[in-house]
Amino acid sequence: MDALDKKLISEFGGKVVRKDLLHRIKKGTNVPTFVLEFLLARYCASDEPAEIQAGLEAVLETLNDNYVRPNEANKAQSKVATKGKYRFIDKVHVNYVEKDRRHWAALENFDSRRIAIAHKYFDENDRLLQGGLWAEVTIAYNEIEDDAYAFYVEDLRPIQLSRFDFNRYCEGRSAFSRDAWIDIILRSVGLEPTVLSHRLKLHFIARLFPLVEPNFNFIELGPRGTGKSYFFSEFSPYSTLISGGQATKATLFYNNQRKKIGLVGFWDTVAFDEVGGIKVKDQDTIQIMKDFMANGRFSRGVEVIADASMAFVGNLDLSVQQIVHSEVYDLFQPLPKEFDLAVMDRFALYLPGWEMPKNSSEFLTKNYGFITDYLAEAFHHQLKHTNRYEEVSKRIRLGKSVEGRDEKGIKKTVASFLKILHPAGDVSDKEFEEYVTYAIECRRRVKEQMNKRKSDDEFAKINLSYINNQDEEIVVYCPESKTAEATQDPVRKDIHDGEGAKESSQRKPAEKKIAPEPEHKKLPEPEEQPSPDIIIKENAQEPNAQHFTIQYGATGYSYESILSPYLTGAKTIEIEDPYIRANHQVQNFIRFCEAVVKTPTIQKISLCTGYDDQTDLKELSDRLNDVKQSLIELDIQLDININEHLHDREIRIDNGWTIKIGRGLDLYQKPDSWYSVGVYDQSLKKCLETKIDIFKRDAEPGEQ
């Protein structure tokens, strides 16, 4: 132990752990950091080598006996059945199942989705209902055969602190200098500060800002392998990481079908990994995201206010020097095309990920740091219960180029520094000025890139500055772009030129304001113009009515190819088909739903189907209710009506189109083998002969 270790143990006894022990165990286990430290704090709270070794063995034994690995789910279930009950370490989810009218717990690696659980557990721990929670959970076996479940939760203990004393935390902080506290924070996240420069230390501290400041919009883009997502995936149980995939308004913000708030209501930080791979289903998601990033509230029929910060991390494929000296590229290049300037303008801080070192054992500490749970609780408490923004507003003086969102972003960054490094106050003028300088640099990085993208001077005031104690105005630059003319003074496109592509003969000064054109001469700003895809859709003619026959054995017909041209603007689609009964017919209906939900305006699907004497109505109802549950997660309502006397086959869309398929959805031949091409791709499936009529409802087939 060094002097800092001894002093930390003295001030925060029982709240610290040897981080090298974590590294030793972490390499051989795929268990979250806060779970391992929970066990290390229990078994390795000693400085004696023999006791530490015994503690490590106890941790490994506990993991071996109680941690459920995905490939051992059957073994774990067998343990419960034979022993009556067993304690596990696993991630627990709780879901409300509408058809059962009750909640069921699901253990991620135990591989059971139907575990009975008492209300008290998810009433006390909201995150069980949204995203799940790591816990020590005792699963017991249900001996009553008539019950619809085999297992139930007998006890559940979240793997996090049950009580946190913020006053004691601030009292302990007062025993350390600012620089010593930075080192303690870095060691707590597993890094050795003695091998890092002071600027790198500030970068790593900045990665923690979304965990401590509400509604803090953070972005870091840089090379691969620098640990960008670690802080959000494993450091705090109050943070959730979304790895690529589809971002929907129902998942992120509010599900109108369930009447439930999304992730932003349950987590302190919602982070997006590999941000370039995010797929946005519809523009409503982006609009709601803009509203939420701006002021922490949005409306989806109900007004919702939440504190969650949003963090975006991703990779740059070009070198920074190539980008800043380029007239074409900017440092927002990896972002999805849906992330327009309005989204970018809401980022408070752009962390220069290209300055961060690659992950390496030389940067890992062997000293003591806070138990991750303890520091995470400190950050969570400050996010929910402390406000340093007003304190910063009274003390900071910003220059004339700092505009509305610049000011807000800068102040929130400085407030985040104060919360992490000075939780009880007592920040010197020199330290405060350092935080202001860093905050302005990271906000300037955002504004420089927007100025590069914009064809006029809306974001041209990039020389952000502050007034120091000597009443001097200090302009802050980003080190990577300070000498890059392409970034500091970008070439403007002449939007009045006939071809719209020639560059103006002279560069315009970055700070120069141009008088507005008369109203009748104004052209729409580039980012406000619809994308080429949207232009095509708006200029395209309405699809024609069709009457044709699909020949026996023909291929190239899928539900999507038949339906999609006629779904523009549709909100509700009704389908009548008496033969959604057998397993393969229900599968056809699922494929139909998959084709329909790709239209972002769809809100409701109504199914009317039939049955006969051979139909198992309970089994059919269970299958269709499963489809209904999955559609609810996409914020789409499914209404089901089973009618014994139904004979028609028809699809009606609320935009006026009707589609009649002679065979209904069952228009494909049974495959010769389930291992042949065409089993899963409908466009490759062979069809049965059937007639298709597509017409507007004000005209019957043959009258078009």
Side-chain angles (χ1 to χ4, degrees), residues 111-142:
D111 196 24
S112 177
R113 298 289 179 267
R114 203 174 178 85
I115 302 173
I117 185 169
H119 274 266
K120 65 176 183 178
Y121 296 117
F122 51 84
D123 287 343
E124 295 169 359
N125 301 282
D126 282 344
R127 289 196 310 281
L128 286 170
L129 293 163
Q130 190 74 18
L133 187 69
W134 280 91
E136 279 189 317
V137 56
T138 301
I139 301 297
Y141 186 69
N142 181 23

Side-chain angles (χ1 to χ4, degrees), residues 306-339:
D307 291 330
S309 296
M310 303 198 86
F312 302 85
V313 297
N315 302 319
L316 283 175
D317 292 322
L318 299 174
S319 76
V320 174
Q321 289 307 306
Q322 283 179 308
I323 293 173
V324 297
H325 290 284
S326 168
E327 300 285 359
V328 179
Y329 293 103
D330 60 67
L331 291 172
F332 284 132
Q333 174 263 330
L335 296 184
K337 61 182 177 61
E338 292 86 359
F339 280 42

Side-chain angles (χ1 to χ4, degrees), residues 563-581:
L563 292 168
S564 58
Y566 303 93
L567 293 176
T568 303
K571 294 183 179 179
T572 301
I573 184 166
E574 302 174 11
I575 174 171
E576 291 185 357
D577 189 332
Y579 295 101
I580 308 293
R581 308 174 184 176

Side-chain angles (χ1 to χ4, degrees), residues 570-608:
K571 294 183 179 179
T572 301
I573 184 166
E574 302 174 11
I575 174 171
E576 291 185 357
D577 189 332
Y579 295 101
I580 308 293
R581 308 174 184 176
N583 184 53
H584 77 279
Q585 293 167 341
V586 176
Q587 290 290 333
N588 285 338
F589 178 64
I590 293 172
R591 296 291 176 84
F592 169 83
C593 293
E594 290 173 344
V596 167
V597 300
K598 292 178 182 177
T599 300
T601 55
I602 292 293
Q603 299 175 0
K604 180 180 177 181
I605 301 171
S606 294
L607 169 67
C608 184

